[in-house]
Amino acid sequence: MARLESAADVSAAEYLARAEAYDRLLEDLNDKLAWSRGGGGGKMVARHRERGKIPVRERIDLLIDPGTAFLELSPLAAWGLYEGGLPAAGIVTGIATVRGTACMIIANDATVKGGSFYRETVKKHIRAQEIAAENRLPTLYLVDCGGANLNQMEEVFYDENHFGGTFHRQCRMSAAGIPQLAAVFGECTAGGAYIPALCDEFVMVEGGASIHLGGPQIVKAAISEVVDRQDLGGAALHTRQSGVSDHIAPDEYAAIGKLRDMVASLGYEQPFAPGRAAPAEPLFSAEELPGIVGTDLSRPFDQREILARILDGSEFHEFKPEWGETIVCGTGRLEGFQVGVIANNGVLFSEACLKAAHFIELCDQRGHPILFLQNTTGFMVGREAELGGISKHSAKLVYAMSNTRVPRLTLVTGGSYGAGNYGMSGRGFRPHFMFMWPNARLGGMNPDVGSSVLMDLRRASISRNPATEEELAQEEARLRAMFEEKSDPYFCTARVFDDGIIDPRDTRRVLGICLGVVNLRPERRAHRPVYRM
């Protein structure tokens, strides 16, 4: 297979300046990740340990197989919200191997608001369940949960994607034969009680765990009964008397060991898709990616430079390289997995749309997962573009992408704006995984265009709503700042619009894990003809 070349001059002053600017982005990312991993802060973590409890990420480290990776999802959920008081939205989710089985882990952090579910907590929990259901991953719940946040009832209680939706998904996964297992470490009250109760099998920690639909305060208020937490729903009661729990463990370490034993007892088959080859390192270093991409979205870069640093052996069979040049399509391998690639090299013209739609059909017929690399301002606009059928041809791309039967992975390497985000497998089209780089931007319009459009509308209404030039200038500045804020990657990841912001240098590792997951249970596909767009 042809090998990609690199035109990057890594000794040039311009490259070094871009790399230095990107280093500041990565320092900022690492600072925010430290906030996420700090849980409820030093005081709350110390109190947690004094009670004989293990912090949530240490529980996960003990649970997963030694020396294996944990792909954490949405670690910066709720960043910048609630005055910084909800690190990681109070829940840690991710994919890891437990006793040789790839599993989804959903773990409450009781040091953050007592493990209560806020709007972002629910959204992150549901997203993890969606990934588990789609890829048939056994789901392991590390439960230490105070139930729904009662101050956010309209955000967490009523709707299908609120707290009740997590239980619905749990029931549906169990019915579909996807194991649901849990270890209960602390208090599970009200809705939190259903997380373990709906599992196929679970263990409780003696003296620490409790399960009750109404806690001691609710019981006292409702029926005037005074009872403590352990007598009401402790591990001993539920394991030896009520039969609600299946196992009891003397401490958290033993509970984690029991949960590992439950996974081992499943005998859960996860055959990889056939055809995985031995991985080969790219010819070019991923350490060069920050300097190649830079922080200035107005400066274009060639997505082939990225592919040369993440694909096995930097090998890439490009499809239609001489046509539709603003989109790059082709096949290669990543960590040994065959993958199709669709990458933006600018605005999407009709030719690019048809080329990508044709290539999606080829991947669909051959069973190749598709990796979308987004960096586009969107589809081309204007009379000439409309005369050329851009509305029809862009719709063909959206239709082909929406209906392909192969897994889709999306990575935002630069800008991702407007309908271009849609055609390139944006979050609204349910890619199996979606990540962003810290230089990326995501929005309905880029700040220049968006603020200009709204100001044109404002000026058109000047006779009905007078304003001075100074007031109009202030309004334009406000609109531009609004677009800048709402396209910022941290604004997006805080609201779980992606699965996380990653360091470009970690891209190959992260995508390799994801490709391993989506290849676990390949569907049998009926071949269908390719319609040449």
Side-chain angles (χ1 to χ4, degrees), residues 476-521:
E476 184 170 10
R478 184 191 67 80
L479 288 171
R480 183 176 180 83
M482 181 268 289
F483 278 105
E484 289 281 5
E485 177 192 3
K486 293 189 177 182
S487 63
D488 185 88
Y490 295 104
F491 180 95
C492 298
T493 203
R495 291 156 179 81
V496 200
F497 295 159
D498 63 7
D499 294 316
I501 298 174
I502 62 173
D503 186 326
R505 298 169 298 186
D506 293 333
T507 299
R508 177 176 161 83
R509 178 182 63 85
V510 170
L511 294 180
I513 293 172
C514 294
L515 284 169
V517 169
V518 300
N519 276 288
L520 282 176
R521 283 187 175 270

Side-chain angles (χ1 to χ4, degrees), residues 197-218:
L198 291 171
C199 280
D200 308 328
E201 187 176 359
F202 71 93
V203 57
M204 295 179 71
V205 176
E206 187 168 18
S210 63
I211 295 174
H212 31 67
L213 294 183
Q217 299 91 339
I218 294 176

Side-chain angles (χ1 to χ4, degrees), residues 309-524:
R309 288 160 176 81
I310 64 173
L311 293 180
D312 288 7
S314 302
E315 293 183 339
F316 185 61
H317 174 66
E318 189 165 349
F319 176 71
K320 289 186 183 292
E322 306 296 327
W323 191 70
E325 62 184 18
T326 60
I327 203 160
V328 177
C329 301
T331 54
R333 287 186 182 271
L334 198 158
E335 291 288 2
F337 295 105
Q338 191 76 43
V339 64
V341 177
I342 300 176
N344 303 122
N345 262 355
V347 67
L348 289 161
F349 293 88
S350 287
E351 296 87 350
C353 297
L354 294 174
K355 172 179 169 179
H358 185 174
F359 183 70
I360 288 170
E361 288 195 328
L362 291 176
C363 291
D364 191 78
Q365 186 192 61
R366 297 167 183 174
H368 296 166
I370 304 173
L371 170 62
F372 290 83
L373 300 184
Q374 294 188 355
N375 182 26
T376 183
T377 54
F379 295 111
M380 190 60 191
V381 297
R383 185 178 185 280
E384 185 177 348
E386 295 297 346
L387 188 63
I390 187 64
S391 296
K392 175 175 63 178
H393 298 316
S394 63
K396 291 177 182 177
L397 172 56
V398 171
Y399 188 89
M401 177 274 301
S402 299
N403 287 290
T404 184
R405 298 165 295 179
V406 298
R408 290 176 283 117
L409 283 67
T410 301
L411 175 67
V412 187
T413 63
S416 176
Y417 295 111
N421 168 270
Y422 290 172
M424 289 293 293
S425 187
R427 187 56 172 269
F429 290 81
R430 296 170 174 80
H432 284 59
F433 291 94
M434 177 174 168
F435 297 95
M436 300 178 74
W437 283 354
N439 63 296
R441 294 295 184 272
L442 179 65
M445 287 186 181
N446 72 45
D448 289 333
V449 175
S451 58
S452 177
V453 167
L454 292 182
M455 284 309 298
D456 284 347
L457 294 172
R458 176 68 181 90
R459 291 180 188 279
S461 68
I462 200 77
S463 61
R464 300 188 305 274
N465 188 9
T468 66
E469 283 301 319
E470 183 180 358
E471 288 171 337
L472 290 173
Q474 291 174 350
E475 176 70 3
E476 184 170 10
R478 184 191 67 80
L479 288 171
R480 183 176 180 83
M482 181 268 289
F483 278 105
E484 289 281 5
E485 177 192 3
K486 293 189 177 182
S487 63
D488 185 88
Y490 295 104
F491 180 95
C492 298
T493 203
R495 291 156 179 81
V496 200
F497 295 159
D498 63 7
D499 294 316
I501 298 174
I502 62 173
D503 186 326
R505 298 169 298 186
D506 293 333
T507 299
R508 177 176 161 83
R509 178 182 63 85
V510 170
L511 294 180
I513 293 172
C514 294
L515 284 169
V517 169
V518 300
N519 276 288
L520 282 176
R521 283 187 175 270
E523 299 173 6
R524 293 188 177 274

Side-chain angles (χ1 to χ4, degrees), residues 289-304:
L289 285 173
I292 289 169
V293 174
T295 61
D296 182 3
L297 290 186
S298 67
R299 175 191 162 274
F301 59 87
D302 190 345
Q303 296 272 29
R304 295 178 186 85

Side-chain angles (χ1 to χ4, degrees), residues 49 76 86 100 121 138 159 190 234 245 314 323 329 471 519:
R49 291 188 186 279
L76 294 176
L86 196 68
T121 318
D159 210 352
S245 172
S314 302
W323 191 70
C329 301
E471 288 171 337
N519 276 288

